[in-house]
């Protein structure tokens, strides 16, 4: 078959919010944020920027890199927890922009595990129906700045906005698929640890929900940290074992960017030096569904990934949902 990532792209909004800016909003300081999280600044989307507009901007770059016309996309998956609307889905808005009118479109909600989950679904569609799906656009896009409580210092320091995309293409040759193994998991028993309590059918929007600040991200940081390191390490080991690959053979690990200390702890436990664990959290914070897509694109453009390299994605987020994927780029 020969399904591979033919192009990548990313987009982050222009506006930068630094740690010094946050010192004016909540009782925090630059030193605490840098040492506890690694974040130095994050991007904040403009009022007219949304998950779909950011996904489109990133997708345009991915399509240009792959040399594919947007009208030739056969399916679109957008991973997001901040869709433009409850419905229609964000992917349909992306589809409308690219005028790929017959394309099958849907959003995927797996929070920070969204990009890897969407890659799994995209690859699976292409493997199951190779004649129908030759070009599948996978996007991760989140505008978390509208879901963050800017009065809560436990969370507002962490998150930012952006989008990352990968264009999956089946070149129709006998060459092997890029995806070698994946290990994705979820555990719905931890919904209290990381969630947005209101806005869905469980607690619809009301005056009380708004006054109670229930439409914002709630996170038990310490517990999430512990679970994240364990989940990212175990799923990485599972994916590598499935493919019969050792960590020494992996050129680059691209972890979800939640906290620099999580990335360091995962790298240490996997036995990989820090220079082989990609980190750009200092610039963008945690962009949830977008983080691995943005990191992948930056790593490609910086020449840190070459064709044929083994790359390991590892993710963890609300759901809880987590998982890893090993690809030969
Ligand atoms: O992407 C989804 C997955 N998300 C994650 O994986 C995030 C995981 N969690 C984390 O990254 C970290 O737990 C946080 C960055 C959220 C917090 O770091 P921590 O080292 O776990 O700090 P903590 O919550 O244990 O708090 C330590 C102290 C507390 O003060 P006391 O009780 O020791 O006096 C907090 O009140 O730091 C205080 N604190 C702050 N101080 C200054 C908490 N937030 C801040 C802040 N500025 N922004």
């Amino acid at each position: 078959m020969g399904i591979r990532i033919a192009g990548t792209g990313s987009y982050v909004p222009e506006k930068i919010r630094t740690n010094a800016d946050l010192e004016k909003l909540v009782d925090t300081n630059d030193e605490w944020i840098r040492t506890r999280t690694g974040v130095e600044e994050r991007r904040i989307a403009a009022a007219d920027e949304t998950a779909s507009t950011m996904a489109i901007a990133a997708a345009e770059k991915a399509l240009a890199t792959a040399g594919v016309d947007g009208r030739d996309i056969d399916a679109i998956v957008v991973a997001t927890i901040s869709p433009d609307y409850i419905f229609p889905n964000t992917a349909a808005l992306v589809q409308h922009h690219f005028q790929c009118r017959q394309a099958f479109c849907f959003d995927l909600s797996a929070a920070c595990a969204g990009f890897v989950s969407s890659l799994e679904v995209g690859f699976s569609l292409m493997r199951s129906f190779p004649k129908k799906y030759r070009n599948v656009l996978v996007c991760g896009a989140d505008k978390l700045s509208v879901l963050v409580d800017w009065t809560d210092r436990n969370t507002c320091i962490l998150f930012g906005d952006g989008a990352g995309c990968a264009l999956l293409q089946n070149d129709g040759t006998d060459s092997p698929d890029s995806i070698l193994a994946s290990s994705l998991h979820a555990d719905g028993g931890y919904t209290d640890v990381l969630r947005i309590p209101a806005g869905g059918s469980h607690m619809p929007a009301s005056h009380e929900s708004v006054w109670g600040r229930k439409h914002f991200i709630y996170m038990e940081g310490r517990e999430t940290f512990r679970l994240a390191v364990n989940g990212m390490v175990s799923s990485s080991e599972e994916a590598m074992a499935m493919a019969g690959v050792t960590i020494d053979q992996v050129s680059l690990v691209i972890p979800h960017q939640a906290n620099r200390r999580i990335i360091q702890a995962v790298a240490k436990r996997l036995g990989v030096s820090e220079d082989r664990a990609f980190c750009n959290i200092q610039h963008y914070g945690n962009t949830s569904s977008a983080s691995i897509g943005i990191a992948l694109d930056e790593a490609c453009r910086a020449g840190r990934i070459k064709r044929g390299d083994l790359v390991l994605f590892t993710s963890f987020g609300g759901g809880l949902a987590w998982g890893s994927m090993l690809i030969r780029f």
Side-chain angles (χ1 to χ4, degrees), residues 48-320:
D48 61 352
E49 286 183 305
T50 63
S52 75
T53 68
M54 292 191 290
I56 289 165
E60 274 169 349
K61 294 180 192 163
L63 290 162
T65 312
V68 169
D69 190 312
R71 286 169 295 192
D72 293 332
I73 298 169
D74 303 307
I76 303 174
V77 192
V78 177
T80 185
I81 51 167
S82 49
D84 292 33
Y85 307 105
I86 300 283
F87 73 89
N89 63 46
T90 314
L93 307 174
V94 176
Q95 184 219 48
H96 179 67
H97 174 84
F98 288 112
Q99 299 292 303
C100 42
R101 293 196 173 277
Q102 303 298 317
F104 171 42
C105 290
F106 57 97
D107 288 4
L108 189 151
S109 167
C112 308
F115 191 78
V116 174
S117 306
S118 298
L119 280 179
E120 172 102 333
V121 174
F123 270 116
S124 304
L125 279 177
M126 296 175 86
R127 275 184 177 167
S128 304
F129 306 104
K131 290 204 177 112
K132 258 198 278 187
Y133 303 114
R134 297 186 73 84
N135 292 307
V136 173
L137 179 67
V138 169
C139 309
D142 266 317
K143 183 175 177 176
L144 295 179
S145 58
V146 295
L147 302 178
V148 161
D149 183 348
W150 293 102
T151 67
D152 175 13
R153 71 174 184 173
N154 293 302
T155 51
C156 76
I157 53 157
L158 287 169
F159 299 102
D161 301 334
C165 289
L167 195 272
L168 303 181
Q169 189 169 55
N170 183 347
D171 63 14
T173 66
D174 290 341
S175 49
D177 293 343
S178 318
I179 177 167
L180 303 182
S182 62
S183 172
L184 302 185
H185 303 281
D187 187 339
Y190 286 94
T191 46
D192 288 349
V193 171
L194 185 50
R195 67 191 166 130
I196 294 177
S201 54
H202 174 72
M203 191 188 292
S206 65
H207 290 295
E208 288 72 24
S209 69
V210 172
W211 288 329
R213 312 190 77 74
K214 303 283 188 204
H215 293 266
F216 296 124
I217 295 170
Y218 170 83
M219 180 175 72
E220 286 179 24
R222 253 182 257 187
E223 178 70 344
T224 309
F225 190 112
R226 186 183 66 78
L227 293 164
V229 175
N230 289 340
M232 289 163 83
V233 170
S234 59
S235 61
S236 293
E237 287 172 344
E238 285 158 12
M240 286 189 289
M242 273 181 226
V245 159
T246 63
I247 193 69
D248 299 335
Q249 296 169 271
V250 173
S251 300
L252 193 66
V253 179
I254 302 189
H256 167 53
Q257 308 287 309
N259 184 318
R260 187 190 287 278
R261 290 186 297 132
I262 293 179
I263 296 170
Q264 288 168 335
V266 169
K268 191 169 175 201
R269 284 204 14 212
L270 288 177
V272 67
S273 55
E274 266 187 54
D275 60 310
R276 280 197 293 139
F278 192 87
C279 184
N280 61 5
I281 195 169
Q282 63 277 21
H283 300 306
Y284 310 126
N286 179 349
T287 55
S288 194
S289 313
S291 90
I292 289 184
I294 295 172
L296 170 64
D297 183 49
E298 289 200 343
C300 289
R301 287 176 200 274
R304 290 186 65 182
I305 304 176
K306 297 185 301 299
R307 283 285 167 207
D309 283 353
L310 287 176
V311 179
L312 177 69
F313 303 124
T314 183
S315 62
F316 186 93
L320 297 175

Side-chain angles (χ1 to χ4, degrees), residues 18-29 150:
T18 64
N19 292 347
D21 294 331
L22 290 182
E23 288 177 8
K24 295 174 201 141
L25 295 178
V26 288
D27 179 16
T28 191
N29 58 79
W150 293 102

